[in-house]
Amino acid sequence: MKRILSLVLAAVMLLSLGASALADDVPTLRVLTILHSEQTAAVEDLYIFKYLADKFNVKFELEAVDNGTAGERATQLLLSDDVFDLMWVGIGTSDIMRYGVDAEELLDWTPYLNEETMPNACKAREAYPDAFVASTAPDGKLYTLPYIRGAVYDNNTGAFSASIRVNINQDWLKAVGMEMPQTLDEFLAVARAFKEKDPGSVGENLIPIIDNQNKIKDYIWNALGFYGCTGTEVYGTAFAIKNEEVVLPAFTSEAKLFMETVKAMYDEGLVSPDYFTLDQTANRGIVAEQRVGIFGDSTLQPAENNWQAWWALSPLSSSVNDLRVASINFGYSIGSYASAATKYPELVAAITDFFYSEEGAMLYQSGPMKGTPEAEIEGSHPWWINDDGAVVNDLIESNPTYTLTNGNTAYYYIAGRFDNYQPYRYTYAGVEHETTVKVIKDAITGREVNAPVTTEAIFLNDNWDHRWRVSQTAAMEDYLTFIRLPSVYLTAEQEEEVTDLRMAIEDYITQETPKFITGARSLDEFDAYQNELKNLGIERYIEIYRDAYQNYMDGTFAK
């Protein structure tokens, strides 16, 4: 009897040890994440980590930081070679060069980006090749994967130009008997007609053109053939694309045409005599007073009292450019990265790939649907579709200011594909729901992208905020391109060199260009001015950026 009891106890001990060993075999991943400001739950209580732990049989050690301190914390970890298994915080291209290419602290996703390990990410790469090209370092490796939002119509995303935001008063245009301008010369002709005929009966306080946020300058540079800019042009100091080549507009022959155009506007009183000193408040105040026929601005807010009169202008051609095109807002950004020292690269890849699926994106952004097995996880806030067709959960019903991300989501901009998760919720729920989809066709490549309208109110056209989106969509329909220069990858040595060059070059261009416009310096000296820029090292400056963008340009304009 004692022998039998001893055998039973021994068996129990073995089973216990086996269970303990199995428990110890569950991998643990360290994750650093930003916790977005609207989140009311602690990071360890978020549904998404509980769901991932169950789905992938993994444990998490979580650290949450706010957006303001995320960069500092990430730098601390990178400097100490203590990168977490997964880093859901932002990273810049200079960090990728320093800690990925040089120090090899960051995981290269390339070996895992295949149909077996990351099938959903592979599909996303087919749909958004530019996002993955922009995420590729000069050594051909992927040390980060993109967050993809696409061209979804929601808030400030959609078929809108990134920088071409110029509006015209249609009532004034009709009053002077002219059509929408198609060329730069026609644009100036309309402005001159506004000044001469004063269709708004403004009198001596009439200002035909207001250039807020430098949108008119952007518009002129674009008409001269430059697109895909890294930022606002102002005086041509942002790198752009023309004729499939990376250029610095200020160091081209077109720069003289830009100066001549703005000078004509200034000399003829088509812009304010205080053109160079007016700030945004003053510019918007003039628009609000209805003393303007054309104005550049990111929205129609300055014209909220007569928004019905305004419509967006399409890109222009000019004597040096036949290509009417404008770059769309980026539909992606640099997303997550991981540690090259992780013990579980395949697991990290599988979890990341999950967010490139419609189900993964939906669960991350919205949480589980009520009545599903996923909703049984403790602490979840399941959603359902109410009688009005709205997606809600218990938190939203108790407090309408909440969103579905409360209690579910850590940080919005992680690697994954989030362009279709909102319409997918209805499909997942088996509820009929017609989502309007607008097709955006790239005017250069012919590539077509579906843009679901997730906020239908945008197209009600019943206030200034809807109007600018409606008019932008119509004005840009045939002229958009997804081609836009991404953040550039530079080595530490190149960073140091271009920083010195940029400061001297941009300061000089910003100093001298207004002189040509106001007449303080003759345009006859333009060639001498270009030589002065050569002496400042502008050719070397351009060479560095062209070399750095070569991979992107080759991938974008592959023959």
Side-chain angles (χ1 to χ4, degrees):
M1 183 68 179
K2 289 182 178 179
R3 179 175 177 80
I4 293 172
L5 182 60
S6 298
L7 289 171
V8 170
L9 288 172
V12 170
M13 289 180 65
L14 285 171
L15 287 171
S16 177
L17 287 171
S20 176
L22 286 173
D24 290 341
D25 285 343
V26 175
T28 298
L29 296 181
R30 299 166 70 207
V31 179
L32 177 69
T33 180
I34 294 174
L35 200 61
H36 65 78
S37 58
E38 294 85 2
Q39 187 54 266
T40 56
V43 65
E44 61 271 12
D45 294 330
L46 292 180
Y47 164 80
I48 191 63
F49 291 114
K50 295 178 180 180
Y51 173 80
L52 293 174
D54 184 63
K55 179 177 177 63
F56 291 96
N57 189 32
V58 63
K59 294 179 180 179
F60 291 105
E61 289 183 6
L62 303 169
E63 181 181 335
V65 292
D66 62 44
N67 206 20
T69 60
E72 181 181 352
R73 178 60 176 143
T75 300
Q76 289 174 348
L77 294 171
L78 289 164
L79 287 172
S80 60
D81 195 8
D82 187 29
V83 183
F84 282 20
D85 294 279
L86 264 175
M87 303 277 282
W88 287 357
V89 298
I91 187 171
T93 53
S94 59
D95 290 328
I96 291 173
M97 293 294 290
R98 185 175 295 113
Y99 301 110
V101 176
D102 296 337
E104 299 182 345
E105 292 181 40
L106 305 182
L107 179 71
D108 172 24
W109 299 91
T110 308
Y112 310 99
L113 193 59
N114 54 61
E115 292 292 342
E116 291 73 30
T117 309
M118 301 187 77
N120 297 303
C122 287
K123 291 178 182 177
R125 182 173 56 181
E126 292 177 5
Y128 294 94
D130 48 336
F132 285 81
V133 170
S135 300
T136 304
D139 62 359
K141 296 179 179 179
L142 282 161
Y143 298 102
T144 181
L145 290 174
Y147 159 84
I148 297 173
R149 179 62 170 148
V152 174
Y153 274 90
D154 188 17
N155 296 320
N156 199 35
T157 60
F160 316 134
S161 165
S163 59
I164 307 304
R165 303 277 182 91
V166 178
N167 308 287
I168 191 166
N169 189 310
Q170 296 178 104
D171 295 340
W172 286 23
L173 190 65
K174 183 178 180 181
V176 299
M178 301 182 76
E179 301 292 329
M180 284 283 193
Q182 308 294 311
T183 69
L184 184 56
D185 286 342
E186 291 175 3
F187 173 79
L188 293 174
V190 168
R192 289 171 178 134
F194 286 170
K195 180 174 177 60
E196 178 185 348
K197 298 182 180 180
D198 189 7
S201 302
V202 176
E204 62 182 12
N205 291 321
L206 169 67
I207 301 175
I209 300 173
I210 281 291
D211 183 13
N212 195 38
Q213 301 170 340
N214 296 301
K215 297 297 185 187
I216 299 296
K217 297 185 192 71
D218 284 346
Y219 197 47
I220 295 170
W221 282 116
N222 180 256
L224 297 175
F226 303 99
Y227 67 95
C229 302
T230 55
T232 185
E233 282 290 0
V234 189
Y235 296 129
T237 57
F239 281 93
I241 299 171
K242 182 166 184 178
N243 298 328
E244 300 185 6
E245 184 178 40
V246 174
V247 295
L248 195 66
F251 193 65
T252 62
S253 59
E254 290 87 351
K256 186 175 184 180
L257 291 175
F258 170 82
M259 294 174 183
E260 290 172 344
T261 302
V262 182
K263 180 174 174 55
M265 291 162 49
Y266 185 77
D267 289 347
E268 297 175 31
L270 304 182
V271 295
S272 169
D274 301 319
Y275 179 67
F276 295 99
T277 58
L278 289 175
D279 61 13
Q280 176 159 290
T281 300
N283 279 326
R284 287 184 165 179
I286 293 168
V287 175
E289 292 168 0
Q290 302 182 28
R291 298 195 280 128
V292 178
I294 299 169
F295 76 95
D297 202 294
S298 55
T299 73
L300 279 175
Q301 184 179 10
E304 60 181 319
N305 293 326
N306 69 329
W307 59 266
Q308 300 94 333
W310 295 91
W311 198 258
L313 286 174
S314 302
L316 305 172
S317 60
S318 67
S319 61
V320 293
N321 170 53
D322 294 327
L323 181 64
R324 299 175 63 193
V325 69
S327 296
I328 196 170
N329 272 322
F330 278 130
Y332 60 86
S333 62
I334 290 176
S336 309
Y337 54 107
S339 171
T342 181
K343 297 178 182 178
Y344 312 105
E346 290 84 4
L347 176 60
V348 167
I351 291 173
T352 302
D353 184 67
F354 181 60
F355 296 123
Y356 283 99
S357 71
E358 290 180 318
E359 182 184 6
M362 177 193 70
L363 287 169
Y364 184 77
Q365 294 286 6
S366 307
M369 186 180 78
K370 188 175 182 179
T372 61
E374 294 84 2
E376 296 175 6
I377 294 176
E378 182 182 358
S380 65
H381 296 278
W383 55 266
W384 66 90
I385 299 172
N386 66 18
D387 293 339
D388 296 326
V391 182
V392 298
N393 64 11
D394 60 323
L395 292 176
I396 294 173
E397 289 217 322
S398 64
N399 187 341
T401 64
Y402 281 145
T403 66
L404 291 176
T405 61
N406 284 105
N408 294 313
T409 309
Y411 181 49
Y412 296 122
Y413 307 109
I414 68 167
R417 180 177 177 180
F418 301 95
D419 59 343
N420 198 48
Y421 77 91
Q422 290 162 299
Y424 177 72
R425 288 184 303 217
Y426 294 91
T427 303
Y428 187 80
V431 174
E432 288 190 12
H433 179 79
E434 185 175 348
T435 299
T436 302
V437 175
K438 293 188 176 293
V439 179
I440 303 172
K441 184 174 182 179
D442 193 304
I444 294 177
T445 67
R447 169 188 167 200
E448 292 186 352
V449 173
N450 290 334
V453 180
T454 60
T455 307
E456 295 281 352
I458 286 174
F459 294 100
L460 291 178
N461 196 23
D462 57 354
N463 59 46
W464 66 265
D465 196 32
H466 295 156
R467 178 70 159 200
W468 79 259
R469 293 176 171 87
V470 171
S471 65
Q472 263 278 320
T473 298
M476 296 295 163
E477 184 175 8
D478 298 322
Y479 306 107
L480 287 174
T481 180
F482 290 94
I483 299 172
R484 188 179 176 197
L485 292 174
S487 297
V488 70
Y489 291 91
L490 299 174
T491 65
E493 294 77 15
Q494 289 174 326
E495 283 272 11
E496 184 177 355
E497 185 177 4
V498 300
T499 297
D500 293 337
L501 289 169
R502 183 189 300 115
M503 185 177 298
I505 291 166
E506 289 188 357
D507 285 353
Y508 196 68
I509 291 171
T510 303
Q511 168 189 301
E512 294 301 305
T513 304
K515 293 180 182 178
F516 287 107
I517 293 170
T518 61
R521 185 171 182 181
S522 172
L523 280 164
D524 293 338
E525 298 180 23
F526 179 80
D527 291 341
Y529 162 69
Q530 296 282 283
N531 285 325
E532 291 158 11
L533 292 176
K534 287 182 182 179
N535 293 335
L536 291 174
I538 197 168
E539 291 172 311
R540 171 58 182 159
Y541 181 58
I542 294 171
E543 178 187 24
I544 293 171
Y545 273 87
R546 279 183 176 166
D547 289 346
Y549 276 125
Q550 196 59 55
N551 285 344
Y552 176 80
M553 296 298 285
D554 288 346
T556 300
F557 295 103
K559 303 299 183 184

